[in-house]
Amino acid sequence: MPFTISDYFSTIFPGRVQKIAVNAGLGCPNRDGTLGTGGCIYCNNTSFNPSYAHAGGSITEQLDKGVKFFSRRGKPYGYLPYFQSYTNTYGETDRLISLYEEALAFPGAVGIVIATRPDCLKEDLLDWFEGRFGFKAPGGHPYLLVEIGVESTEDRTLDAIGRGHDFKCSVSAVESLHSRGIAGGAHVILGLPGESEEEHGDHHRHGKRQDDLNEGAEGSGTVSQSKARNDRLSASKKALAIEYLLSVIFFVSFRMISIKSFFP
């Protein structure tokens, strides 16, 4: 059976956790003119933004609405506020930290998930991550997952879709997270125009070369969760080996993108 992100979270937390997307109203260097305008060729955040997550509301207000939205699924062990829209490490560091801390203060929050670009991880923010969630964090610290938009391991594809960075940049971002004890995930788009099935396999092989990173991040997590996590880790060790692309958590973001949408 496939090893999903839910399966991974079951190795970290003793019960089901619910991700709740929030829109922090942050920008992107590929939209504001720093790298480009208009975003990547497929960029359309409204296509996946839930109805309750709008930049006009505070993080707390959006989380309140998100909890109500998911209430039909029953009460989870905890919540993971998910900074999903655009580039969520792009901006003034103090403002970013304030947004993260507001999410962490939400009742039932056991950590946060931050989606970003590989070229938008500043050193001062990485240092804060390490002190708050990583190797330098105190016992009982909350969980952090940083989702990196890798999209492809082929530089020609990254250029064609207007990403504004190369694959080496993604490797560097993941290594920076790992060196600080921060869990990282990778979004990859399979089926981009011009890529062959063999190149899809290359995406996986690049990840397999980084399997040693899995070992270092197994120690990351809260002290209160460590026993439950360690019990599950031994059972899931083989499953973890199939995780995709470059870091502790490799999960593929499948997006339906037509050839026509790239070449109108």
Side-chain angles (χ1 to χ4, degrees):
M1 292 179 63
F3 188 74
T4 67
I5 187 63
S6 294
D7 294 329
Y8 170 78
F9 283 143
S10 73
T11 71
I12 300 296
F13 302 102
R16 180 180 69 84
V17 291
Q18 179 65 60
K19 288 171 72 177
I20 301 179
V22 295
N23 186 335
L26 298 171
C28 174
N30 211 14
R31 297 179 65 87
D32 67 7
T34 302
L35 292 176
T37 58
C40 304
I41 200 167
Y42 51 79
C43 186
N44 183 5
N45 274 254
T46 58
S47 66
F48 57 79
N49 225 28
S51 59
Y52 61 81
H54 294 288
S58 71
I59 298 300
T60 302
E61 290 169 343
Q62 292 179 56
L63 290 171
D64 274 328
K65 292 178 180 178
V67 167
K68 293 176 182 176
F69 181 85
F70 288 109
S71 62
R72 64 186 182 276
R73 299 190 61 190
K75 187 173 178 61
Y77 168 76
Y79 300 106
L80 289 174
Y82 179 23
F83 290 82
Q84 182 179 24
S85 297
Y86 299 113
T87 306
N88 292 282
T89 58
Y90 187 59
E92 293 295 327
T93 300
D94 288 344
R95 184 191 175 211
L96 293 171
I97 292 173
S98 176
L99 292 168
Y100 304 151
E101 291 290 4
E102 181 181 355
L104 289 167
F106 185 78
V110 292
I112 56 176
V113 180
I114 299 172
T116 191
R117 293 169 55 91
D119 56 355
C120 290
L121 289 171
K122 301 177 292 184
E123 286 296 314
D124 61 342
L125 187 59
L126 286 167
D127 290 342
W128 183 79
F129 284 166
E130 183 175 11
R132 187 72 170 90
F133 308 98
F135 288 142
K136 295 181 180 179
H141 64 81
Y143 175 78
L144 170 64
L145 165 64
V146 179
E147 294 184 359
I148 301 294
V150 177
E151 317 310 358
S152 176
T153 64
E154 300 294 326
D155 285 344
R156 61 177 175 77
T157 301
L158 294 171
D159 183 63
I161 64 177
R163 281 295 290 174
H165 65 78
D166 57 13
F167 177 58
K168 184 178 179 180
C169 181
S170 295
V171 174
S172 177
V174 170
E175 290 177 345
S176 293
L177 291 169
H178 173 253
S179 69
R180 291 170 168 82
I182 302 300
H187 280 266
V188 183
I189 302 176
L190 300 184
L192 286 168
E195 289 193 351
S196 65
E197 290 187 13
E198 181 179 354
E199 286 169 326
H200 296 165
D202 288 341
H203 300 337
H204 177 68
R205 282 186 285 276
H206 278 295
K208 295 288 282 184
R209 294 191 194 109
Q210 300 281 329
D211 273 348
D212 60 315
L213 296 187
N214 291 342
E215 297 293 333
E218 286 173 358
S220 183
T222 68
V223 169
S224 61
Q225 296 155 0
S226 62
K227 185 180 186 302
R229 181 194 59 229
N230 290 337
D231 289 344
R232 290 174 176 82
L233 280 173
S234 59
S236 65
K237 196 77 170 182
K238 291 183 180 178
L240 283 170
I242 69 169
E243 293 176 289
Y244 270 10
L245 206 65
L246 296 181
S247 190
V248 184
I249 310 155
F250 297 114
F251 53 95
V252 180
S253 175
F254 291 96
R255 304 176 189 174
M256 300 304 293
I257 303 171
S258 68
I259 297 294
K260 185 177 179 180
S261 68
F262 280 85
F263 305 105

